[in-house]
Amino acid sequence: MTGAPLKVAIIGGGLMGHAVRELADERGVTVVGMLDRAAMEDESGVTKDLLSGADVALEFSTPSTAVANIGVCLDAGCPVVVGTTGWYEQLPAVEASVEASGGSLLWASNFSVGIALLAKLVERAGELASGLEQFDVQMTETHHTAKRDAPSGTALTLEGEMSRTLGRRVPITSVRTGFVPGTHEVTLDGPFERITLAHEARDRRVFADGALTAAAWLTGRKGVFTMADVFGEENR
């Protein structure tokens, strides 16, 4: 980065929030606020003052609080990168709020470059397998036991990409066990052969790195974006 260090406020003190904070130091990003439960114990929630003049807020809270937190950021004129999932049924209303406020929002179910590539691969696989009824297609996603939503937002995104080209829905099995950062596997199972497309996150920092990249990219932009915009048109 050039110029003054990027200043971020992290909303949420869970696994992702702490991963972002740890990596921010390595990336030369200044964390002006860590808005976890301890920081807000005397507050009703996220406030403009608690954002501490951040250039960008990184929202990794819970599905039940994400939309309200986004609203506070928009009211404060603070661009917000949202990694929380499980609230997407409210996305149209949130997008309308961003447009009305002239604000900035980047949302993603996953910040990994590898997942962006897998999304393109399953989209193409669906196209190639369309009409091949001898193949059963299914998806399995595995995450740590603390993950609140199931299926994961990433699994739903991948399923949407594949079912659109495949012409039929792809059933999703969710597994919650141990400390798994995130594994997504798509299988095409035929009577005599099996094809597998999979992505395994080995370290939560892959998501933190992508979130910080998204935060830097969002600075100075207005509107609603996803990681496809960050990676560029060639990666869509």
Side-chain angles (χ1 to χ4, degrees):
M1 298 178 190
T2 59
L6 182 69
K7 297 184 297 181
V8 302
I10 301 171
I11 303 173
L15 295 172
M16 271 305 304
H18 285 288
V20 171
R21 179 166 194 168
E22 291 172 7
L23 195 62
D25 292 336
E26 296 180 24
R27 296 289 184 268
V29 174
T30 301
V31 177
V32 296
M34 184 72 184
L35 310 187
D36 55 12
R37 184 173 298 177
M40 297 185 290
E41 61 183 0
D42 296 325
E43 303 284 347
S44 58
V46 176
T47 65
K48 180 178 180 179
D49 288 342
L50 286 175
L51 292 173
S52 303
D55 298 317
V56 185
L58 292 145
E59 211 287 339
F60 287 99
S61 63
T62 66
S64 63
T65 58
V67 174
N69 292 339
I70 293 168
V72 171
C73 293
L74 294 177
D75 289 343
C78 181
V80 56
V81 172
V82 184
T84 305
T85 59
W87 59 274
Y88 295 153
E89 72 280 358
Q90 300 182 66
L91 182 58
V94 169
E95 289 178 326
S97 295
V98 174
E99 182 178 357
S101 67
S104 306
L105 167 73
L106 189 150
W107 65 274
S109 59
N110 195 300
F111 291 98
S112 160
V113 174
I115 284 292
L117 296 175
L118 181 61
K120 295 302 296 180
L121 290 172
V122 299
E123 178 187 32
R124 179 60 174 154
E127 182 181 353
L128 294 172
S130 178
L132 299 179
E133 298 298 330
Q134 70 268 36
F135 283 96
D136 286 332
V137 184
Q138 59 184 336
M139 184 185 307
T140 302
E141 59 94 356
T142 305
H143 284 85
H144 54 89
T145 54
K147 186 167 179 59
R148 296 171 184 266
D149 55 324
S152 69
T154 300
L156 293 172
T157 298
L158 293 172
E159 194 280 334
E161 292 292 338
M162 189 167 196
S163 64
R164 178 172 53 81
T165 55
L166 182 66
R168 51 190 159 109
R169 301 310 299 261
V170 178
I172 303 171
T173 298
S174 298
V175 178
R176 297 291 175 265
T177 185
F179 304 92
V180 181
T183 299
H184 295 83
E185 181 179 87
V186 178
T187 60
L188 296 87
D189 202 339
F192 309 112
E193 56 191 331
R194 187 183 195 211
I195 303 166
T196 301
L197 296 170
H199 176 271
E200 178 182 358
R202 293 194 296 265
D203 192 309
R204 200 173 303 281
R205 285 178 296 180
V206 69
F207 310 125
D209 186 50
L212 290 169
T213 298
W217 182 91
L218 187 61
T219 304
R221 290 179 165 87
K222 301 294 183 183
V224 178
F225 307 96
T226 68
M227 287 304 284
D229 298 296
V230 179
F231 293 140
E233 186 66 32
E234 69 274 11
N235 288 322
R236 296 189 186 190

